[in-house]
Amino acid sequence: MNNSEIYREFLGLLDVTDVERELPFLIKACSRYQIKEETMFRCVREHLPRYFHMELRGVRTLLRLYVTEWIGLEKLWERNVIKIYYNVPGTPTGMYWLARSLKQAGYDTAVCTPDLITMIVLYGIIGMEEKIAGLNGCRHCAVNMMREYLTIRQIIPKPDIRWSFGLLCDEAPKKDMILEYAEEDALHVFIQKPSKHGDCKAYLEQQLEKGIRETEKRYGITCEKEGYQLEKKKRFSLAMRIDQIIRFLNRSEAFVIGNEEVGLIETLILASFQMDPDEISDILARLLEEMKEYAAGQNCPRMQYRYAVYYTPVCNPLYGSIMEKNGIGLLHHTAFVSTAVVMQGDHPAEDMAYECMGMLIGKDVDQEAEKISEIIIKNRLDGLVLGMFAFDRWMGAQQIMLQQKVEEQTGKHVLVYETDFWNQDSFSGDRMEMAMETVVSARGRGKSAE
Amino acid sequence: MGNIEKNQAEPKKIAIYNGRFVPVELLWACDIHAVYLCRKSAPAAESMLEYALRFMNPLARSVGGIILSGDYGERPCCFLQLTDNHSVRMTEILRDQEVPVTAISVPPEDEKPEAVQYYIEEIHAVKAFLEEQYQKQIDPATLLEKVRLTNRIHGTLEKISVLRKEENPAFAFSEYVRLQYEMFRLEPEEAAGLAEAFLKEKEENKTESKKPIRLMLVGRAAAEDDEFLLDSVEQAGGAIVCECLDEGIWPWEIRFDLEDFSLENYARQRYLKGHRINYFHHSFHRRYAYIKRKCLEYRVEGVIWYQLSFDEIYDMEYECLAKWCDQDGISLLRVESSYEGAAEETAALAARVESFIQILKEKRNEQ
């Protein structure tokens, strides 16, 4: 096998239609991230077949969506395109709307969440073991580190516009302020909640409005409300498609697809893709149909327990697979619950402000616990899994209180299994296997386990 | 607490506050005895693990644990500034435990007029809360009088600080920190008196010639009862002659302009005056400019960066500071504390401080 064969095989496995066109970009991208050929071999021969239902066309399409988005970052070097980057969670509708407005004015535009996509592809899909965005003394969020790495090491081109959101995290905008000095020509827009308590709508609306106006001024464009409404509808459709899949899995009580795949599906609402959201919705619709057929014809492993989960660590497929082995399905990602699904307010900045404030995980622990409990009861789930953001100064801080409150309100088991969503250096599969065996064994005796 | 009881003829309403963005003069004007809380306590920090995961800076956990411990009475009234996620989450825990907390949101985007306005509205809300809660109207004249008192205290502290510019500072930093905490416990008039007495004593009392290594302390806080670092510096022949600390030190550089005095004007100055804390947007460059200015003004020979565990944004600032100090030839030492006080941690810290000061002594001798 010559050097490029394994890359070709990788693309072929994901049903990439024009392999020869994509191949040079994939090879270049792998070289930039120092992905070794043996890593690609392991990915093709072991990692993908072990952790993903590669027999399902829809799953291959889902993986292709992420991988082509990632390869697309490499293509940006050659495209004369306005690059809009933003960190998550932000307001994807607003970002897609800016891109749409620029496109309507004749600009080629790409709206990207490069740090998130890169983390997922490198560690979740390719299964790279080496950590490239080095961490220093403190427990920094690895996705923030990745954002810095991508720019400072010039792995991807610098953005023309960077929107920096501090809706949960107060570390992310700080990281982007450091990047601002390396991206002198870019328009930087900072959107940070002035307070984690109380009503910030008017403040956020003002800031969002300013950011939009600055973009309009720089490119001489006008962002029309109609365009925003269209993007909002697209996101609504996407959210509904995702929900259909989750509800189907909830009903089927079988692992038609795995926990990792569910995590990747839920992430579609968080990340940005260069593919139109309607096309992504269509991919999900076809996947759901395929899942239904597959469930009817196959002897899928039984999902003995169905848990809500904060966010399945999609950068570590072993996590989800250990859960599966023990019959635990991770459905209903609470990190993506939002009250801002349909258009609210009179104009886009107002709706964007609602979107920024609507995320459940941005609210206080009482509100979060109440809503999660409602989800557990409504969907007759067996419990909740927390702990993947133990390091995080916002998301991880109150997980013990969240555990106590949800247990009190639902009477269901809340498992806090500490791990790092982004960085699996300290993760031990053996340790988790043992912990899950204990949980299942205790559940088997009709008890709730710690 | 003992001091408060001794100094008061009648028991006063007591409230705890945690930083310079809390409008303490409004509390004073409402006849509240405001106690500033920024204290290290390993057991208190440990006790918070019942509610929160360990990745929260130990000062936030200490303060929360102390409030819940009953040291200041059961469920004391608290006025807490929210200047990062740690403080927000700690406030949530306190509220969950039914501690009455008035939170003061401090927008990080201090360069934006909307952020200033947001903070002003927060101060209005605190005033409205106080008036309703304590059934006492806060008139502008009383507030002005209290702000004058702050100016008096800050003026005295500035004069005290000037003494630290001398080749042989008249007092050690640990003594200065103890004075600050003593003042924080007192009524403002008494605090002003104590500072003035301290100044008088130190002006009269010339110290022997030791020519210590002159250092600047930078970081989040020099908390009460967190003296190990300060003692290590002093024992090794160093003197902290100036500081850039975001909490735990009376912000004496803030001097309120009293012309056209109004609540808005007061709030604006409280938000915008004084050195920029780490939490503010684009603060790293602005803080470094401040640090450099201070280094020149106080003839600093080395900077000690004092970081608390899990304080990621300070850690990010350190990365920048280290680069800039290196470019400018400023000697820099980073030390970190988890507040646990384990022998390995403190011994390593003392050894590093000692060798840092030793190197600075050699550098001085070479000049």
Side-chain angles (χ1 to χ4, degrees), chain A residues 114-131:
Chain A
D115 45 0
L116 175 63
I117 292 292
T118 301
M119 291 297 292
I120 289 174
V121 172
L122 293 192
Y123 301 115
I125 297 176
I126 294 179
M128 187 175 174
E129 288 173 349
E130 300 82 5
K131 293 287 174 284

Side-chain angles (χ1 to χ4, degrees), chain A residues 136 140 168 170 174 177 180-181 190 192 195-196 203 206-207 210 390 393-394 396 398 400 405, chain B residues 50 53 55 85-86 89 96 105 109 112 114 118 278 280-283 285 312-313 315 319:
Chain A
N136 53 14
H140 292 285
L168 308 177
D170 48 11
K174 284 284 184 184
M177 276 165 224
E180 203 178 0
Y181 297 106
F190 290 94
Q192 189 160 359
S195 162
K196 290 278 172 33
Y203 183 90
Q206 267 180 326
Q207 303 313 309
K210 262 192 187 177
R393 52 200 278 125
W394 179 256
Q398 307 302 61
I400 294 174
K405 286 174 187 291
Chain B
E50 191 181 330
L53 294 175
F55 298 106
N85 279 355
H86 295 293
R89 288 307 206 183
D96 191 62
S105 294
E109 302 172 284
K112 294 181 178 174
E114 300 88 345
Y118 194 97
N278 164 280
F280 282 139
H281 275 201
H282 300 105
S283 62
H285 274 89
E312 295 94 345
I313 298 180
D315 192 59
E319 296 298 321

Side-chain angles (χ1 to χ4, degrees), chain B residues 258-321:
Chain B
L258 305 179
E259 211 169 297
D260 299 326
F261 186 80
S262 65
L263 189 64
E264 281 80 1
N265 208 342
Y266 158 72
R268 183 174 287 107
Q269 294 185 67
R270 193 159 258 301
Y271 184 54
L272 293 175
K273 286 191 170 181
H275 80 266
R276 300 297 78 194
I277 61 169
N278 164 280
Y279 167 74
F280 282 139
H281 275 201
H282 300 105
S283 62
F284 299 173
H285 274 89
R286 293 189 281 166
R287 282 159 65 82
Y288 185 61
Y290 174 85
I291 291 165
K292 264 175 78 169
R293 184 166 59 76
K294 283 274 180 180
C295 282
L296 280 174
E297 198 181 333
Y298 285 81
R299 303 185 317 282
V300 166
E301 295 169 278
V303 172
I304 296 181
W305 173 265
Y306 184 36
Q307 193 172 313
L308 303 180
S309 306
F310 311 122
D311 239 353
E312 295 94 345
I313 298 180
Y314 282 90
D315 192 59
M316 286 165 71
E317 184 179 3
Y318 171 77
E319 296 298 321
C320 297
L321 186 75

Side-chain angles (χ1 to χ4, degrees), chain B residues 175-276:
Chain B
E175 197 180 351
Y176 180 63
V177 169
R178 280 195 293 275
L179 166 75
Q180 299 255 341
Y181 282 103
E182 188 65 28
M183 288 168 63
F184 279 133
R185 270 192 287 270
L186 298 173
E187 289 293 335
E189 293 83 357
E190 294 168 327
L194 184 66
E196 282 152 8
F198 184 90
L199 174 65
K200 190 164 181 287
E201 181 199 328
K202 297 303 171 189
E203 277 176 336
E204 288 167 359
N205 188 12
K206 294 288 170 195
T207 52
E208 56 187 281
S209 181
K210 282 184 186 164
K211 294 186 183 169
I213 293 294
R214 305 176 66 80
L215 300 164
M216 180 174 190
L217 184 65
V218 185
R220 184 189 273 273
E224 190 174 12
D225 294 339
D226 184 19
E227 287 163 0
F228 187 80
L229 172 65
L230 313 186
D231 291 345
S232 300
V233 167
E234 285 154 21
Q235 280 163 19
I240 293 165
V241 294
C242 60
E243 63 281 326
C244 174
L245 297 169
D246 294 346
E247 294 167 34
I249 286 283
W250 214 299
W252 59 262
E253 285 177 316
I254 300 173
R255 207 61 47 80
F256 290 96
D257 184 353
L258 305 179
E259 211 169 297
D260 299 326
F261 186 80
S262 65
L263 189 64
E264 281 80 1
N265 208 342
Y266 158 72
R268 183 174 287 107
Q269 294 185 67
R270 193 159 258 301
Y271 184 54
L272 293 175
K273 286 191 170 181
H275 80 266
R276 300 297 78 194

Side-chain angles (χ1 to χ4, degrees), chain A residues 92-327:
Chain A
T93 317
M95 299 300 99
Y96 276 104
W97 176 49
L98 287 180
R100 163 186 282 274
S101 306
L102 285 160
K103 279 177 191 163
Q104 278 178 340
Y107 293 103
D108 191 8
T109 310
V111 55
C112 312
T113 46
D115 45 0
L116 175 63
I117 292 292
T118 301
M119 291 297 292
I120 289 174
V121 172
L122 293 192
Y123 301 115
I125 297 176
I126 294 179
M128 187 175 174
E129 288 173 349
E130 300 82 5
K131 293 287 174 284
I132 53 170
L135 299 169
N136 53 14
C138 253
R139 289 292 297 269
H140 292 285
C141 172
V143 79
N144 283 336
M145 301 293 289
M146 177 60 82
R147 202 159 61 256
E148 183 178 25
Y149 175 85
L150 293 176
T151 288
I152 302 295
R153 302 283 184 93
Q154 296 186 28
I155 305 292
I156 61 170
K158 290 176 182 174
D160 298 287
I161 305 170
R162 186 187 286 282
W163 281 62
S164 177
F165 291 96
L167 304 179
L168 308 177
C169 177
D170 48 11
E171 188 180 339
K174 284 284 184 184
K175 183 62 80 187
D176 290 354
M177 276 165 224
I178 293 173
L179 295 184
E180 203 178 0
Y181 297 106
E183 298 167 348
E184 283 171 358
D185 298 329
L187 170 64
H188 278 253
V189 178
F190 290 94
I191 305 293
Q192 189 160 359
K193 276 187 181 176
S195 162
K196 290 278 172 33
H197 292 277
D199 187 9
C200 318
K201 191 186 131 258
Y203 183 90
L204 282 172
E205 199 179 319
Q206 267 180 326
Q207 303 313 309
L208 290 158
E209 189 73 45
K210 262 192 187 177
I212 296 159
R213 296 293 155 252
E214 281 178 49
T215 310
E216 286 181 330
K217 196 174 155 195
R218 175 179 269 224
Y219 294 99
I221 60 162
T222 307
C223 299
E224 304 286 356
K225 182 180 174 182
E226 292 70 29
Y228 186 85
Q229 286 167 326
L230 279 172
E231 290 302 334
K232 191 78 185 177
K233 275 185 193 156
K234 284 171 188 274
R235 293 204 64 76
F236 178 74
S237 303
L238 179 60
M240 291 304 107
R241 286 288 179 211
I242 293 171
D243 190 52
Q244 280 179 335
I245 291 181
I246 304 303
R247 280 190 285 121
F248 169 74
L249 284 169
N250 211 352
R251 283 195 308 270
S252 74
E253 296 185 14
F255 283 108
V256 185
I257 57 171
N259 290 328
E260 172 76 8
E261 288 143 334
V262 174
L264 291 182
I265 289 168
E266 293 251 32
T267 305
L268 295 174
I269 204 74
L270 179 70
S272 272
F273 296 87
Q274 291 180 56
M275 183 183 278
D276 188 275
D278 281 347
E279 287 181 56
I280 300 176
S281 295
D282 290 344
I283 289 173
L284 294 183
R286 289 196 295 273
L287 172 62
L288 179 59
E289 288 312 309
E290 197 183 1
M291 284 167 64
K292 286 176 183 169
E293 284 171 26
Y294 189 70
Q298 298 281 329
N299 192 14
C300 297
R302 192 169 158 240
M303 194 187 294
Q304 212 174 346
Y305 308 105
R306 289 159 303 131
Y307 276 63
V309 60
Y310 198 81
Y311 188 179
T312 299
V314 286
C315 298
N316 177 18
L318 181 57
Y319 182 101
S321 92
I322 292 172
M323 290 287 194
E324 272 163 55
K325 241 204 250 175
N326 287 282

